[in-house]
Amino acid sequence: MEKKLAEALQQLKASDIRITPQRQAVLEFLINSHAHPTADDIYKGLVDKFPGMSVATVYNNLRLFTKIGFVQEMAYGDASSRFDFSSQKHYHAICESCGKIVDTYYPGLDDVETAAEQLTGFKINEHRMELYGICPDCQ
Amino acid sequence: MEKKLAEALQQLKASDIRITPQRQAVLEFLINSHAHPTADDIYKGLVDKFPGMSVATVYNNLRLFTKIGFVQEMAYGDASSRFDFSSQKHYHAICESCGKIVDTYYPGLDDVETAAEQLTGFKINEHRMELYGICPDCQ
DNA sequence: GTACCTGCAAAACGTTTGCAGACAC
DNA sequence: GTGTCTGCAAACGTTTTGCAGGTAC
């Protein structure tokens, strides 16, 4: 875990992006969180440690991290976007009852991309998938 | 096309849902549109024919249609949701440059659902997939 | 006639922006 | 010291809400 953070910080430094305490805290929160937090979750989680913390700062950094590829923004129907520190490729199983999001893995869906390229003429870079259903707790 | 509309109206009638002119117009717009319109697109497209038309009515009906399964809401990052009259299962190819959304088809991804069920314990009902890339026009 | 639907306006909500001061480098 | 980042508050755009009147059945 600490390794991921150190790697990420190093990449920031290499890109001439300043490492402010707030920025590092947002990054740390994302790496340590397994709950796909919203911007507000992150804000609420950090405002104790950083009393003056602003939501704008959270959004600023989330946008930055998304742009450089550290995190993925997920905007699934719900009111607010969720953010995912994506270290490896995975899909999301979303509970239609309680809204919980669980990571799930499935290999070998790359041929979908080539198939779509032939069908649409797009040059596909990546794909995402969401599986909707009922989680064990809600069944 | 008219067939789809008639079928849909019949299903509404069978569900004891009133067929108001505005409701029918929203439905018709969705069926005839191949452009995955936003709520505002629909409103703008209908306000000429229905001078008093309210956005609230558009949203009311979109929510209703989503609930009974006529349409799918797509909330992909953009500011506003898009709505898709889904007659058959398909996926979306989204251009990262211009935002265009094109339908694409790919068979036999149902085993992903069963795999996810075993991994997560979810009872999966459906899945969606988005392919991100660059469309022919933007390449 | 009655319940549901519409239109209107205001409000709520998540997110973005402008700006002045602060701070990482 | 400089340019970027932060915090604050106001603004923005989309969506929701409450309510009074209207209309499909």
Side-chain angles (χ1 to χ4, degrees):
Chain A
M1 205 65 80
E2 297 77 27
K3 188 156 161 287
K4 283 190 197 165
L5 179 60
E7 275 173 20
L9 290 177
Q10 194 164 11
Q11 190 177 333
L12 287 181
K13 200 172 288 184
S15 308
D16 282 324
I17 294 169
R18 291 189 187 163
I19 298 165
T20 66
Q22 294 88 338
R23 176 162 295 158
Q24 179 167 342
V26 172
L27 190 52
E28 222 168 326
F29 191 97
L30 283 162
I31 293 177
N32 292 334
S33 170
H34 294 188
H36 310 88
T38 64
D40 200 54
D41 291 337
I42 299 171
Y43 172 70
K44 286 207 175 68
L46 296 181
V47 77
D48 290 334
K49 219 193 298 182
F50 296 87
M53 186 72 146
S54 158
V55 277
T57 300
V58 175
Y59 280 104
N60 278 341
N61 283 301
L62 286 175
R63 205 176 345 163
L64 174 71
F65 293 156
T66 303
K67 199 171 68 183
I68 63 177
F70 278 8
V71 301
Q72 249 194 17
E73 182 175 358
M74 322 187 286
Y76 305 147
D78 321 64
S80 49
S81 288
R82 299 179 164 277
F83 294 86
D84 190 9
F85 185 87
S86 45
S87 48
Q88 63 174 297
K89 196 180 218 169
H90 63 269
Y91 304 112
H92 290 127
I94 303 168
C95 179
E96 292 171 319
S97 172
C98 69
K100 182 171 27 189
I101 299 179
V102 174
D103 293 346
T104 181
Y105 302 87
Y106 189 86
L109 246 56
D110 298 328
D111 48 336
V112 183
E113 295 196 1
T114 54
E117 288 191 340
Q118 285 164 10
L119 250 106
T120 62
F122 272 53
K123 183 84 199 66
I124 302 292
N125 295 321
E126 59 158 340
H127 69 268
R128 306 184 190 181
M129 184 166 55
E130 304 86 50
L131 298 126
Y132 292 87
I134 308 295
C135 75
D137 295 345
C138 291
Q139 279 172 28
Chain B
M1 205 66 78
E2 298 77 28
K3 188 157 162 285
K4 284 191 199 167
L5 179 61
E7 275 173 20
L9 290 177
Q10 193 163 11
Q11 191 177 331
L12 287 181
K13 201 171 289 184
S15 308
D16 282 324
I17 294 169
R18 290 188 188 164
I19 299 166
T20 65
Q22 294 90 337
R23 176 162 294 159
Q24 178 166 342
V26 172
L27 190 52
E28 221 168 327
F29 191 97
L30 283 163
I31 292 176
N32 293 333
S33 170
H34 294 187
H36 309 90
T38 64
D40 199 56
D41 291 337
I42 299 169
Y43 171 71
K44 286 207 175 68
L46 295 181
V47 77
D48 289 336
K49 218 194 297 183
F50 296 86
M53 185 71 145
S54 158
V55 278
T57 300
V58 175
Y59 280 104
N60 278 341
N61 284 301
L62 285 175
R63 208 179 340 166
L64 173 72
F65 292 158
T66 303
K67 199 172 67 183
I68 62 177
F70 278 9
V71 301
Q72 249 193 17
E73 181 174 359
M74 324 188 284
Y76 304 147
D78 319 64
S80 48
S81 288
R82 298 180 164 279
F83 294 86
D84 190 9
F85 185 87
S86 46
S87 48
Q88 63 175 299
K89 196 178 218 169
H90 62 269
Y91 305 111
H92 291 128
I94 303 169
C95 179
E96 292 172 318
S97 172
C98 69
K100 181 170 28 188
I101 298 179
V102 174
D103 293 344
T104 181
Y105 302 86
Y106 189 85
L109 246 57
D110 298 328
D111 48 337
V112 183
E113 296 195 1
T114 55
E117 288 190 340
Q118 285 163 10
L119 249 106
T120 62
F122 272 53
K123 183 85 200 65
I124 302 293
N125 295 322
E126 59 158 342
H127 68 267
R128 305 185 190 180
M129 184 166 55
E130 303 87 48
L131 298 126
Y132 291 86
I134 308 296
C135 75
D137 296 346
C138 291
Q139 278 172 28

